[in-house]
Amino acid sequence: MKKLTLKAEEALLGAMLHRPEALPSMRWIPAGSFSRPDYAALWQTLHSIDFSKVARNDVPAAITAAVAEIEEPGIRQTLTPSRLSNLANASVCPNPSTAPLYGGMVLEAAIHRAVEHAGETLRDTARQAEVDQALKALEQADKTGRRLAQLDAAWKTTPETVRNLLDTTPEQEITSVPRTERARTDLQAEGETVASLLYEPRQLREVTGWLQEKDFSHPQLAAVYQAMRTLDERHAPIDPLTVAWEAQRHPGPNPSDQVLAELEQAGMGGIAAYTAELVLNTAVLDRMDAAGHDIRNYGRHPALAPSALVEHAGQALEPVQADHQRIQHAVREPELASDKESAPPAPSPTPDFPAHQHEMEM
């Protein structure tokens, strides 16, 4: 796609060198849409010239003089008269009257690059943030959402005829290649949370409003938590046997006897809300990484036209945006929040949960 992008940019510039009088109708293409700084500078320079006051024969000289005023010497040296003349060749610009379509192609490529960059930035944020800074890290997800909205608005400034030609529906459903593995897990916190809840089920009311099964990376621990939530909603007794019985009614893996026994042995009351926050924060950062991964991959997919690209990227971001409200509500009870600086001691022995197969990494 990079090679085609350069060809589209050169064709657009060549068309404007052929027909500079068309420049005012092309202002919907920002200079930042170009992938090369010299092409962006040339686009800005062309728009700085009032060609209505330049005779046709004087156009090359006017452009050369304007290029000489560019501050960056490296760019000035790149945009030589011979280079400009080459851009105007028919081999570079097949049809100057097709400039609006070339411009739409340039803007589409720029939107792809911007979406890819937004995904990479989101993923970097998720991987670099500390667990207790998950809420702060979510600000980057908000920025990503605003960026996608800006890109969508930029595309809608494109002439309708151009959008109709380029905004095609992909022939096949586009999905992102899954990650090969999770970026963040905390099996100790997950085990301590579930063990504490099983030991002292009354703590469930402190966490069920914001902690969900999907926050657990270990499928059997997720199953135990889901079963306890269901039993608690029914005001039913909660113990290893009732949990195992309820778990079999839900889809997915059932907790093994070994896992239930280890949870029962390791239980400690009064810590579930604290460790549950660690579970949630870790899961939130991991979902941010997954969203960034998907958004980046969508940005690299040439089959996605701009509207579909922004829509796919927005859908990938939705789970993270939903996390924002949950993590704000993850407030511990006052008696559990007396010492927020240091974690309570881990229960002993710590349950040794069997490893489960992770997703495949790219």
Side-chain angles (χ1 to χ4, degrees):
M1 187 174 180
K2 184 176 181 181
K3 185 176 180 181
L4 280 175
T5 297
L6 287 174
K7 286 186 175 182
E9 293 176 357
E10 291 168 353
L12 174 61
L13 291 168
M16 294 300 98
L17 292 172
H18 270 290
R19 300 174 63 241
E21 65 275 9
L23 278 162
S25 66
M26 305 295 287
R27 295 191 185 280
W28 49 272
I29 306 170
S33 301
F34 290 83
S35 61
R36 288 176 48 142
D38 54 342
Y39 289 174
L42 177 57
W43 186 252
Q44 282 185 308
T45 299
L46 291 174
H47 280 278
S48 70
I49 303 171
D50 185 358
F51 286 99
S52 65
K53 299 179 180 179
V54 179
R56 186 69 188 178
N57 291 338
D58 294 335
V59 166
I63 294 174
T64 300
V67 167
E69 298 296 321
I70 295 175
E71 293 184 5
E72 178 57 48
I75 290 179
R76 287 201 307 271
Q77 293 169 7
T78 301
L79 298 175
T80 61
S82 62
R83 177 61 177 144
L84 297 177
S85 177
N86 182 64
L87 287 173
N89 284 340
S91 59
V92 175
C93 178
N95 186 354
S97 64
T98 312
L101 183 56
Y102 298 153
M105 292 156 58
V106 169
L107 185 56
E108 175 178 334
I111 290 173
H112 272 265
R113 291 195 304 276
V115 170
E116 179 182 353
H117 180 263
E120 289 176 341
T121 302
L122 187 63
R123 199 171 199 197
D124 288 343
T125 301
R127 296 200 166 203
Q128 295 170 10
E130 299 294 335
V131 172
D132 61 356
Q133 292 297 311
L135 184 58
K136 178 71 174 176
L138 282 171
E139 293 177 4
Q140 184 60 49
D142 293 338
K143 292 179 182 177
T144 303
R146 291 193 294 271
R147 181 60 174 149
L148 293 177
Q150 291 171 353
L151 295 174
D152 185 55
W155 179 245
K156 288 177 179 175
T157 65
T158 307
E160 186 177 359
T161 53
V162 174
R163 292 202 311 273
N164 290 341
L165 290 172
L166 293 177
D167 241 347
T168 55
T169 303
E171 294 183 3
Q172 296 180 338
E173 184 179 354
I174 305 299
T175 58
S176 178
V177 178
R179 296 177 301 170
T180 61
E181 64 181 17
R182 292 175 64 106
R184 311 287 285 257
T185 58
D186 191 342
L187 284 177
Q188 181 175 343
E190 292 180 21
E192 290 173 358
T193 299
V194 177
S196 183
L197 291 171
L198 188 61
Y199 179 83
E200 193 174 39
R202 68 178 182 84
Q203 296 176 100
L204 279 161
R205 67 174 182 271
E206 300 168 4
V207 302
T208 53
W210 44 268
L211 185 66
Q212 299 178 358
E213 295 82 26
K214 66 180 181 180
D215 298 326
F216 292 83
S217 63
H218 194 290
Q220 293 191 47
L221 295 177
V224 173
Y225 179 67
Q226 183 180 22
M228 286 194 292
R229 283 187 66 180
T230 303
L231 291 169
D232 185 59
E233 289 170 0
R234 297 173 184 161
H235 304 288
I238 296 175
D239 59 42
L241 180 56
T242 61
V243 166
W245 192 267
E246 178 61 34
Q248 69 181 344
R249 302 186 187 278
H250 299 275
N254 292 326
S256 66
D257 292 342
Q258 177 187 351
V259 166
L260 287 168
E262 290 173 349
L263 289 171
E264 188 176 17
Q265 293 170 6
M268 173 184 289
I271 68 165
Y274 178 88
T275 56
E277 284 190 49
L278 300 179
V279 174
L280 175 60
N281 289 2
T282 301
V284 166
L285 292 174
D286 185 69
R287 274 189 290 273
M288 279 185 61
D289 177 80
H293 168 91
D294 290 345
I295 292 170
R296 179 199 65 186
N297 284 0
Y298 287 137
R300 293 175 177 175
H301 208 302
L304 286 171
S307 293
L309 171 59
V310 172
E311 181 181 0
H312 277 64
Q315 290 172 350
L317 192 62
E318 284 176 0
V320 182
Q321 292 173 325
D323 283 337
H324 207 152
Q325 291 183 335
R326 289 200 299 129
I327 203 169
Q328 287 177 321
H329 286 88
V331 180
R332 297 193 297 276
E333 293 296 319
E335 64 270 18
L336 297 173
S338 58
D339 184 6
K340 294 189 178 184
E341 297 301 320
S342 59
S348 181
T350 300
D352 183 16
F353 300 105
H356 64 285
Q357 187 174 2
H358 290 298
E359 307 158 276
M360 288 181 50
E361 172 83 9
M362 283 183 67

